[in-house]
Amino acid sequence: MTKLFKLTAIAEGISYLVLFFNMLVIKPSNTDLYKTLLFPIGMAHGLLFIGYVALAFVIYKSQHWSLKELAIVQLASLLPFATFYVEKKYVTNA
């Protein structure tokens, strides 16, 4: 389960950055491409976000996280690059 969480954390972080790239770079230059990409990128990111949050609760006990650490892991899903940090710092190979 830990390996699945690590993969989800990385994929969620990448999808977040791709979503920002679509909004900040592609939208100003090509509105039609932006609209075409928005739904699939947004859907993928949404599913990965839900998976990240759910898996964090699932492995909370096995990783022996305190409530503070769980809160940090959950808040990391809202910040760009933070899921990469969580994946390295808080998830051990148990």
Side-chain angles (χ1 to χ4, degrees):
M1 193 63 74
T2 303
K3 190 171 187 169
L4 180 61
F5 180 76
K6 286 182 142 204
L7 290 172
T8 305
I10 292 168
E12 198 273 337
I14 291 170
S15 72
Y16 200 24
L17 295 175
V18 170
L19 193 59
F20 275 139
F21 181 81
N22 188 40
M23 291 185 308
L24 299 175
V25 176
I26 296 175
K27 183 179 180 181
S29 63
N30 189 341
T31 306
D32 292 333
L33 181 61
Y34 161 78
K35 289 178 182 176
T36 304
L37 294 175
L38 185 61
F39 180 77
I41 294 171
M43 181 61 75
H45 172 68
L47 292 173
L48 288 166
F49 174 81
I50 291 168
Y52 176 88
V53 170
L55 285 170
F57 280 114
V58 169
I59 67 166
Y60 160 66
K61 292 273 188 206
S62 67
Q63 293 291 307
H64 307 291
W65 289 338
S66 66
L67 287 176
K68 180 182 175 184
E69 289 172 321
L70 178 63
I72 291 170
V73 169
Q74 295 292 1
L75 287 173
S77 66
L78 303 174
L79 303 171
F81 300 104
T83 57
F84 303 120
Y85 173 76
V86 163
E87 185 265 328
K88 290 289 184 199
K89 181 164 173 45
Y90 290 102
V91 183
T92 59
N93 292 326

